[in-house]
C-alpha cells in the first residue's frame, strides 16, 4: 500500500482495520498466483511445436484450456496467444497429414511400389510423433503394406506380331500391242537414244579428254549411231568419222558408211 493510496483511502473515510484486511487478502491471492506454472506450460507448448510432436501439443493445449479460468492479467494474455498459435499449427499439421495419406492411397492404387515404400516410411514416422491413426488411415496403411509384400506379377511375354505381307499383284501386261503403240514406243526409244548420242558428241568435242575417256565415249556413240545415226546433222556425222579415224578398232563399224562418198573430201579436210 503506497502512501498515496493510503492517503486517498483515509480521505474517503475507510476504516483502517478494513484496509488491513483487504491488504491481507490481496497478499494471499498473490501467493496463489499461477503465473509460474503458466509460464512453464507455455514453454512446453512451444518446445513441442518446434519438435513436431503433435500428440504432445494437443495434450498440452487441453491442459492450457483448463487453466484459462484461473489466469488473470499478463498470464491470461500470454496463455491465450500461445493457445491460438498452437491451434493454427495443429490445423496445418492435420492438413499435411491428410495430404500425406491421400498420396499414399493414390500410390497404392497405381501399384507404384517405390513411391508407396517412401510414403509408408513418412507415415510411420508421423504416427510416432502424432496422434494415433484413425480407422480410415489404418486401412490405407494396411493396404499399402500388403501391396508392398505381394511380389509383382511376372509379365507374360507377348507373342511376336506377325509381319504383314502385302501381296502385290503383277500388273497385267497386254498380250498384244497395236501397231500404233509399237510405233510410239519406237519413237520414244529413238528420242532417248538421240538425246544420249548428242550429249556424248558434246563431250567428245572437249579437248580435255584423255584417249581412254574418248575411246569409251566413242564406243558408246557408235552403238547409238546404228539406230539414230540417220538423224545426226552433217557436222555431227563428220565429227564422228573424224574421231573414229583416230581409233583403228572402230573403223570397221557399221557406222562407217553413214557418211556419203560426196562428203568424204570435206571430212578429210577437217582438222581437229
Amino acid at each position: 500500500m503506497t502512501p498515496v493510496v493510503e492517503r486517498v483511502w483515509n480521505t474517503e473515510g475507510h476504516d483502517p482495520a478494513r484496509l488491513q484486511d483487504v491488504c491481507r487478502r490481496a497478499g494471499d491471492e498473490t501467493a496463489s498466483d499461477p503465473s509460474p506454472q503458466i509460464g512453464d506450460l507455455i514453454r512446453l507448448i512451444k518446445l513441442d511445436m518446434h519438435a513436431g510432436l503433435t500428440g504432445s501439443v494437443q495434450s498440452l493445449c487441453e491442459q492450457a484450456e483448463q487453466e484459462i479460468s484461473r489466469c488473470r492479467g499478463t498470464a491470461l494474455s500470454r496463455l491465450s496467444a500461445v493457445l491460438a498459435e498452437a491451434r493454427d499449427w495443429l490445423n496445418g499439421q492435420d492438413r499435411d497429414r491428410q495430404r500425406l495419406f491421400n498420396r499414399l492411397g493414390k500410390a497404392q492404387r497405381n501399384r507404384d511400389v517405390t513411391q508407396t515404400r517412401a510414403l509408408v516410411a513418412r507415415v510411420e514416422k508421423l504416427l510416432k510423433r502424432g496422434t494415433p491413426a484413425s480407422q480410415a488411415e489404418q486401412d490405407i496403411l494396411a493396404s499399402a503394406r500388403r501391396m508392398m509384400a505381394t511380389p509383382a506379377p511376372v509379365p507374360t511375354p507377348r507373342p511376336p506380331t506377325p509381319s504383314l505381307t502385302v501381296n502385290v499383284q503383277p500388273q497385267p501386261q497386254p498380250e498384244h500391242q497395236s501397231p500404233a503403240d509399237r510405233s510410239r514406243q519406237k519413237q520414244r526409244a529413238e528420242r532417248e537414244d538421240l538425246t544420249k548420242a548428242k550429249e556424248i558428241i558434246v563431250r567428245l568435242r572437249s579437248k580435255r579428254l584423255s584417249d581412254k575417256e574418248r575411246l569409251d565415249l566413242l564406243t558408246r556413240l557408235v552403238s547409238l549411231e546404228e539406230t539414230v545415226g540417220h538423224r545426226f546433222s552433217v557436222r555431227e556425222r563428220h565429227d564422228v568419222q573424224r574421231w573414229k579415224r583416230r581409233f583403228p578398232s572402230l573403223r570397221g563399224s557399221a557406222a562407217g558408211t553413214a557418211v556419203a562418198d560426196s562428203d568424204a573430201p570435206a571430212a578429210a579436210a577437217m582438222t581437229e
Side-chain angles (χ1 to χ4, degrees), residues 187-230:
Q187 292 176 2
R188 183 168 56 251
E190 287 185 356
R191 285 195 299 269
E192 293 176 357
D193 291 344
L194 181 62
T195 301
K196 295 177 182 178
K198 289 183 175 293
E199 291 177 353
I200 293 175
I201 291 173
V202 172
R203 295 183 61 187
L204 285 170
R205 286 173 178 165
S206 173
K207 296 182 179 180
R208 298 180 181 180
L209 295 175
S210 64
D211 289 345
K212 183 179 182 306
E213 292 174 336
R214 193 176 299 277
L215 178 59
D216 292 341
L217 291 173
L218 191 57
T219 302
R220 293 169 53 191
L221 180 60
V222 168
S223 63
L224 294 172
E225 185 185 13
E226 295 177 358
T227 56
V228 295
H230 62 282

Side-chain angles (χ1 to χ4, degrees), residues 46-57:
K46 290 186 175 182
L47 286 174
D48 289 351
M49 287 171 58
H50 182 73
L53 303 176
T54 56
S56 178
V57 173

Side-chain angles (χ1 to χ4, degrees), residues 148-264:
M148 290 190 301
T150 304
V154 179
T156 304
R158 297 178 58 184
T161 304
S163 58
L164 298 178
T165 303
V166 180
N167 295 324
V168 180
Q169 297 295 333
Q171 296 294 329
Q173 298 293 332
E175 297 181 359
H176 302 284
Q177 289 184 339
S178 63
D181 292 338
R182 288 196 297 269
S183 177
R184 284 193 295 269
Q185 185 175 359
K186 181 180 180 181
Q187 292 176 2
R188 183 168 56 251
E190 287 185 356
R191 285 195 299 269
E192 293 176 357
D193 291 344
L194 181 62
T195 301
K196 295 177 182 178
K198 289 183 175 293
E199 291 177 353
I200 293 175
I201 291 173
V202 172
R203 295 183 61 187
L204 285 170
R205 286 173 178 165
S206 173
K207 296 182 179 180
R208 298 180 181 180
L209 295 175
S210 64
D211 289 345
K212 183 179 182 306
E213 292 174 336
R214 193 176 299 277
L215 178 59
D216 292 341
L217 291 173
L218 191 57
T219 302
R220 293 169 53 191
L221 180 60
V222 168
S223 63
L224 294 172
E225 185 185 13
E226 295 177 358
T227 56
V228 295
H230 62 282
R231 303 184 63 176
F232 287 176
S233 65
V234 175
R235 181 187 175 188
E236 290 172 345
R237 294 175 185 175
H238 290 167
D239 288 344
V240 172
Q241 293 303 317
R242 174 168 52 85
W243 294 327
K244 287 165 62 175
R245 284 195 296 271
R246 294 187 53 185
F247 299 96
S249 61
L250 297 176
R251 292 180 183 178
S253 64
T257 59
V259 180
D261 294 340
S262 59
D263 295 332

